[in-house]
Amino acid sequence: MSQLSASVMKKIDLELEKYPLDQKRSAVMAALQFVQAEKGWLSDDSISLVANYLDLPEIAVMEVATFYNMYDLKPVGKYKISICTNISCALRGVDEMVNHIQKSLNIKFNQVSDNGRFCLKESECMGNCDAAPMITINNEKMYEKLTPESFDRLIKELK
Amino acid sequence: MPDEILAPEQIQKKVFPLCLRTKDLKNPASLATYLSIGGYQAITKILKEQISPQQLIDEIKLSGLRGRGGAGFPTGLKWSFMPKDIKGDKYIVCNSDEGEPGTFKDRDIIRYNPHQIIEGMLIGAYIMGANRGYNYIHGEIWQEYLSFHEATREARKAGYLGNKILKSDFNFDLHAVHGYGAYICGEETALIESIEGKKGQPRFKPPFPATHGIYGRPTNVNNTETYASIPWIINHGGQAFSDLGVANAGGTKIFSVSGHVNKPGNYEIEMGMPFSELLELAGGVWKGRELKAVIPGGPSTALVPAESIMQATMDYDGLAKIGSSLGAGSLIVMDQTTCMVQTLKRLSYFFYEESCGQCTPCREGTGWVYRVIKRIVDGQGRSEDLALLKDVSNKISGRTICALGDAAAVPVLSFIKHFENEFQYFIQHKKSMMGQQNA
């Protein structure tokens, strides 16, 4: 079994400082986020390593990883595109945007493109509804008020 | 006249940036900017003059401030529930897990005025005797999580957080923590579970968080906008805050306006402004179309047709009068072309997807509701489907640990109540009454 990287361990240690000493479990949400940001997704191996580092049963970590939608338990390519399709985005034409994205990347929801670069995920409300339609890339960066043209430009820049 | 209720056109209410008062300044989120507008003066005065917690609670009660996250519980009263004589750690939590569709006000407070949240939490911690605090931020707004973390570092460095704050005996530290994609964590006990590093499944109450919260310790959870309102109340007095609003709804409120308007965005106004004026602030209905209906407080509040909401004022009682509620102040505006059946399908999918799975009526019922609406949209609706939808919704409501079950029933019942003809049409003709346009 491999190890957590030094930088992830350092980040988890800093996160632990937010909680009482005997409450290491509280850092699990952040720990999984750190690992995912580094590896792109959460393998069974990564789950075990986080469990081991925080002295938790693996199932406790797996429960969290499966409950929260932004963790990925399968590879999602280099760029995971999450698009909110909830009501405020739907009212402002997200369906057309989804069609455009699926056509231009030749993938459907939850699929990874053949070149391994893109994955498209459907998301619930991101709390950014005045910027509809919108996406996030790899859970961190938001791209707002999308049009087919601005999306195409973005994809070119990412390539 | 026995009852002096003013007609909407007689009420003069205006835009009043209170939580968002730094928004138009340079570097709005910085400590320097917050200090330049009198920031941290309230907590400084409290610590210097040793103002008693009871006196502060009385001021907050007088202000008429009610929880801004959706439940509208009086804040002063809630803060008085925190036990005073228990030793050891006590927690306060700011709930910035803003996942109710159409809500994006807390995002802007964090983005533009994080120090006002921190000062509000400092005052809350002082009043309730809390030594530890967290701001739990919606995982989707990652940049705001990072920037709030930065604001806490800045405040700690300047002596506003940590031990012996401003050289007093008051200790309080505050950290940014985050969700990672679970609507249910906006429910306070689910949020507490999440902070403990668990699945966000709500706890049965009682016991309430005030006695058994994070790690079983006394805990108080309040919404971001609630905390951000506190410093103003302490600086200007409860009466001044109350005077900004109307009866039963003191102060200002940020309304997030989204959907079919020309200028979607956050509008911070005095409580009690007529809806029609708020709609004007948001640029009116887009594309020159007519208003069809509005969800006034997020999908957990009942949809209302245009003719009712155009007569309503934006406050708790004003919206209760037309059969809905203020919720989190998230207005979702729909124009005349909107297909109510397809819109309800999307909302039902949301509640189905976000049900935590703990209570059977919600876990199973939200799935039933979604599948029945989906089959109507797919052209396979049956004549008995509307009765079935109402029946299932009524059987979820009131039978679950938390309010998500009740919330899931609200759109189904209110959409069918006001637009039953559209549902009937869809079932009979296997297509939308509104034509091909997508919802």
Side-chain angles (χ1 to χ4, degrees), chain A residues 16-148:
Chain A
L16 284 166
E17 290 178 11
K18 295 178 180 176
Y19 305 100
L21 288 174
D22 57 345
Q23 301 293 348
K24 286 166 86 169
R25 182 174 188 169
S26 285
V28 69
M29 296 273 292
L32 289 172
Q33 190 272 328
F34 298 142
V35 176
Q36 180 166 298
E38 186 184 83
K39 304 271 183 195
W41 64 292
L42 298 171
S43 63
D44 286 352
D45 202 26
S46 294
I47 301 276
S48 306
L49 291 171
V50 168
N52 199 30
Y53 198 74
L54 294 175
D55 296 327
L56 291 171
E58 284 181 30
I59 185 64
V61 180
M62 189 54 111
E63 272 186 359
V64 168
T66 52
F67 187 85
Y68 296 89
N69 295 338
M70 289 166 71
Y71 297 118
D72 295 300
L73 297 160
K74 285 182 188 157
V76 288
K78 188 170 181 191
Y79 300 108
K80 178 179 78 163
I81 300 168
S82 308
I83 186 159
C84 169
T85 60
N86 210 309
I87 180 164
S88 298
C89 286
L91 291 170
R92 293 187 82 96
V94 79
D95 284 355
E96 287 156 39
M97 206 53 235
V98 168
N99 286 339
H100 177 78
I101 296 175
Q102 293 189 333
K103 223 168 129 186
S104 69
L105 301 179
N106 196 24
I107 47 175
K108 298 211 179 314
F109 279 128
N110 302 316
Q111 289 180 346
V112 181
S113 63
D114 287 341
N115 59 11
R117 295 182 72 79
F118 299 104
C119 176
L120 182 63
K121 294 262 179 181
E122 186 172 24
S123 156
E124 290 304 336
C125 185
M126 300 191 187
N128 209 41
C129 323
D130 53 348
M134 49 148 306
I135 56 171
T136 59
I137 293 195
N138 294 341
N139 291 344
E140 289 188 20
K141 191 120 202 280
M142 267 184 183
Y143 297 87
E144 307 183 329
K145 295 186 181 172
L146 280 187
T147 61

Side-chain angles (χ1 to χ4, degrees), chain B residues 243-387:
Chain B
D243 290 345
L244 292 174
V246 290
N248 280 327
T252 53
K253 176 83 191 79
I254 303 174
F255 289 96
S256 304
V257 186
S258 67
H260 293 156
V261 291
N262 282 311
K263 292 192 290 178
N266 282 316
Y267 297 90
E268 190 168 22
I269 57 176
E270 295 171 349
M271 283 274 200
M273 181 186 274
F275 166 79
S276 56
E277 286 178 30
L278 177 56
L279 182 62
E280 251 173 65
L281 286 175
V285 180
W286 74 348
K287 302 180 180 177
R289 291 180 186 158
E290 295 290 316
L291 180 68
K292 181 171 186 175
V294 173
I295 294 176
S300 319
T301 67
L303 172 95
V304 280
E307 56 275 21
S308 332
I309 190 102
M310 287 305 278
Q311 304 303 317
T313 55
M314 299 309 293
D315 58 273
Y316 299 100
D317 294 352
L319 290 164
K321 253 186 263 173
I322 58 165
S324 190
S325 48
L326 187 82
S330 335
L331 289 111
I332 301 165
V333 176
M334 301 172 209
D335 74 22
Q336 67 196 88
T337 68
T338 311
C339 170
M340 290 301 167
V341 186
Q342 285 166 292
T343 305
L344 181 61
K345 179 187 155 194
R346 185 61 187 86
L347 286 179
S348 299
Y349 180 76
F350 166 70
F351 287 109
Y352 164 55
E353 169 70 25
E354 295 297 329
S355 173
C356 83
Q358 187 173 211
C359 309
T360 310
C362 175
R363 183 187 63 238
E364 302 301 323
T366 52
W368 278 17
V369 165
Y370 171 65
R371 287 189 296 274
V372 171
I373 299 171
K374 185 174 183 300
R375 82 176 172 216
I376 296 175
V377 171
D378 291 345
Q380 287 161 1
R382 304 168 194 170
S383 57
E384 69 271 22
D385 278 353
L386 294 188

Side-chain angles (χ1 to χ4, degrees), chain B residues 23-323:
Chain B
K23 189 176 171 182
D24 296 326
L25 304 176
K26 205 179 155 201
N27 297 327
S30 73
L31 176 63
T33 300
Y34 189 57
L35 290 172
S36 76
I37 56 158
Y40 290 109
Q41 274 178 13
I43 187 67
T44 306
K45 182 171 184 245
I46 289 168
L47 292 175
K48 204 170 156 194
E49 298 176 14
Q50 294 289 302
I51 302 174
S52 78
Q54 190 53 51
Q55 200 181 329
L56 296 166
I57 283 190
D58 290 343
E59 209 58 42
I60 294 165
K61 282 184 178 165
L62 180 65
S63 76
L65 177 64
R66 294 168 61 170
R68 298 295 195 235
F73 194 82
T75 306
L77 187 60
K78 186 169 180 177
W79 288 14
S80 70
F81 294 155
M82 202 67 162
K84 293 179 189 66
D85 33 14
I86 295 181
K87 298 254 178 299
D89 287 340
K90 285 191 209 171
Y91 292 84
I92 60 168
V93 179
C94 178
N95 183 348
S96 303
D97 192 37
E98 191 171 46
E100 178 85 2
T103 318
F104 44 93
K105 64 188 180 67
D106 300 338
R107 176 204 69 185
D108 272 6
I109 308 176
I110 298 171
R111 189 181 283 176
Y112 299 115
N113 202 5
H115 286 283
Q116 197 160 315
I117 304 169
I118 297 175
E119 188 179 12
M121 292 189 75
L122 276 163
I123 297 166
Y126 174 84
I127 293 173
M128 292 181 270
N131 58 327
R132 289 174 173 273
Y134 297 108
N135 187 4
Y136 186 100
I137 298 167
H138 201 213
E140 285 82 347
I141 49 169
W142 194 252
Q143 298 308 315
E144 277 68 31
Y145 165 70
L146 298 177
S147 67
F148 192 83
H149 174 70
E150 200 44 48
T152 59
R153 281 174 45 150
E154 216 181 0
R156 195 173 297 114
K157 210 170 149 199
Y160 293 109
L161 290 174
N163 288 332
K164 302 212 169 289
I165 291 167
L166 301 175
K167 303 193 174 94
S168 71
D169 290 334
F170 173 49
N171 305 326
F172 174 70
D173 211 351
L174 169 65
H175 297 284
V177 295
H178 63 80
Y180 223 55
Y183 168 66
I184 191 61
C185 289
E187 199 279 343
E188 63 175 8
T189 60
L191 189 156
I192 288 169
E193 289 282 301
S194 184
I195 289 180
E196 291 183 357
K198 299 171 188 162
K199 292 187 287 183
Q201 291 189 318
R203 295 178 182 173
F204 193 81
K205 296 189 271 194
F208 291 91
T211 54
H212 296 76
I214 302 176
Y215 317 128
R217 304 296 310 168
T219 301
N220 171 283
V221 184
N222 279 110
N223 173 256
T224 319
E225 188 182 358
T226 312
Y227 274 122
S229 303
I230 297 289
W232 197 95
I233 293 171
I234 302 303
N235 285 327
H236 298 82
Q239 189 59 51
F241 188 80
S242 173
D243 290 345
L244 292 174
V246 290
N248 280 327
T252 53
K253 176 83 191 79
I254 303 174
F255 289 96
S256 304
V257 186
S258 67
H260 293 156
V261 291
N262 282 311
K263 292 192 290 178
N266 282 316
Y267 297 90
E268 190 168 22
I269 57 176
E270 295 171 349
M271 283 274 200
M273 181 186 274
F275 166 79
S276 56
E277 286 178 30
L278 177 56
L279 182 62
E280 251 173 65
L281 286 175
V285 180
W286 74 348
K287 302 180 180 177
R289 291 180 186 158
E290 295 290 316
L291 180 68
K292 181 171 186 175
V294 173
I295 294 176
S300 319
T301 67
L303 172 95
V304 280
E307 56 275 21
S308 332
I309 190 102
M310 287 305 278
Q311 304 303 317
T313 55
M314 299 309 293
D315 58 273
Y316 299 100
D317 294 352
L319 290 164
K321 253 186 263 173
I322 58 165

